[in-house]
Amino acid sequence: MLSRKHLRRAAIAAASCTGILALSAATLWEFDRAFPPPLPAELTVSTEVQDRDGQLLRAFATPDGYWRLETRLDQVDMQFVDMLVTYEDKRFWDHEGVDVLALARAAGQFATSGHIVSGGSTLSMQLARLIEPRESRSLGSKIKQMLRAIQIERRLSKREILERYLTLAPYGGNLEGVRAASLAYFGKEPKRLTVSEAALLVALPQLPEKRRPDRNLKIAHAARDRVLTRMVSSGLLGEHEAARAALDDVAGLRRTLPTLAAHAAYAMLPKAVPGQPLQLTIRKSVQEGLEQVARDAAAKLGPRLSVAMVLADSRTGDILGEVGSANFFDASRSGWIDMTKIVRSPGSTLKPFIYGLAFEQGLVAQETLIDDSPVDFSGYRPKNFDMGYQGDVSIRQALQLSLNVPAIRVLDAVGPTRLMARFRQAGVVPVLPVNEAPGLAIGLGGVGITLRDLVQLYTGLANGGKTHTLHDGTEPANAERTTATILDGQANWQIIDILSGVKPPEGASQRGIAYKTGTSYGYRDAWSVGFDGRYVLGVWVGRPDAGAVPGLSGYVSAAPILFEGFVRSGLAIVPLPGKPPGVFSPRREDLPVTLARFGAGADGLVQATVTEPAPTIVFPPDGARVDLGTSSAETSPLVLKLQGGRAPFRWLANGKPLAGIDRRRTATWQPDGAGYSTLTVIDAAGRAASVKVFVE
């Protein structure tokens, strides 16, 4: 039994220990307050530009030159996290910064073997080293790490500690953080990793320079296999699963981080806020497809030529993909210039809106005939692209064939000022030559417009006549966004119906797309703009320095890119709208007299003067006897030729019309038998010529 003396001494000792502990705790508390760990509220990370769904489009290195992407746990494969914790700090979720058992094990291994067998550092201690790099591997540095780890655990949750470690861990070169490493070594975000990939990412931070696979592939391979072995022994992986993972190759290359939507990404930088990603309306999958199409097309087109593309949602105005050049980094193509925003001549791409206004005003129907022949508008003499003329054509044919003279005839009727006013109403202000009023030349590209503005106009065609201001996220926060009417619904459908019948470029299949092409004067710009029931895609091809390119044309150079762009965008084709109620679209024979020919007055008489000579049948001559072998089993056809007249022409044999209406001045007739026959031709102006022949 203890004496009172011994009990008193024990009480004094206990009180002394308690006091010492209290004093130590107070000292540590004061130390913690006086020397807090360097834990900034926000890490210095790479500025990220993301798509509409949060996927990475482009990242910019930190000011000190590192690729360091902020990482959250929900962005990382949880199997990788489990493997990391198991390999580096298996009691991570239980200790408070220092794992005493792990330190004791490491010390014992060092004492018995004379060298370091395993480390005792926790993930919290490793984070302390990352935010405050040590100058040496001394015992003092280790103790400092332990103290810092305890401080960190007092300030951050376990989840926050893991996220900071995953953001700062070194992976070789200027790669920091698991996201940058996964993108560089595997070409993907670390959300879904294979077992092999996860094991490699666990192994790299221990010796990042020695183990980086792009420099030391064999060492990286061996390090990955050691992690797999440890996972088997810890029970996290089965032997067969680890064996299969060990068979996977380790890629010995480092990829560049995504550089999608380069022009838009750079335009977003002034909006950058540290630690906050920037977001565009672009969809990553669409952007990838369009950029690949642009690169492939530029390679085929030849040197110094570039390609620009804009794909927009007509219902919202969101730009889902925009390619400013074929290759941002290609100096030979001036790739740094964003050609979606450069003012260029649009060629014939404005013609649909000219005809649309004419439909609105009731001046034309699709089958209304219009004259395609030389004309003089007070000194302005438009010519067709091929320098030829078709004679009488329907409005539908004139737009589908992109004939210049009919378009200018219609523009003269609707008024260029009215057309420009409609563009301004839709939020687009084309650029006119200095001190010039809108003239007829704007119908053939005598005005400046950007690809982005052109696509905005066409969103009206795809959206029932209503345009939306295009936006991609680079605009100021207070930028005005408007909805306007470019054409009324019925006129809009007439244009859609006509453009949907334009023949696809060679090798392309009809995908339910309506489209229009254009070529600027001097072969400097080739355009193609197309749309389905929702999406609009515009394509520009040319030289950024506005140099002429012989042979460049919208149909040959830009239209194939348009069709391929729709395919590679990955967007499902939305059907074009059906015919709305009340649309007036009669057959030619059912047209009222005032719409039979463009320019007919209220009395039904054609106002334009017929300048062509009357038609004359030059073969066969009148009264000729023609031997076609009617007595034999096979009768040869008779070739008919005429001069003069206005196309198209209708032929009759003995008062019975031959099949079809022909624009050519030659035709063939197969007689029923021998004897006299009367052949007649009637031109578009209603003038006729006849000959009488005897067939043998």
Side-chain angles (χ1 to χ4, degrees), residues 91-111:
R91 281 178 284 275
F92 170 73
W93 301 104
D94 301 319
H95 64 64
E96 296 187 7
V98 177
D99 187 346
V100 178
L101 294 177
L103 287 174
R105 184 200 67 238
Q109 291 173 337
F110 178 78

Side-chain angles (χ1 to χ4, degrees), residues 420-440:
M420 291 291 286
R422 193 63 63 91
F423 291 160
R424 288 192 292 270
Q425 179 179 315
V428 173
V429 183
V431 179
L432 289 166
V434 179
N435 298 325
E436 284 196 20
L440 295 178

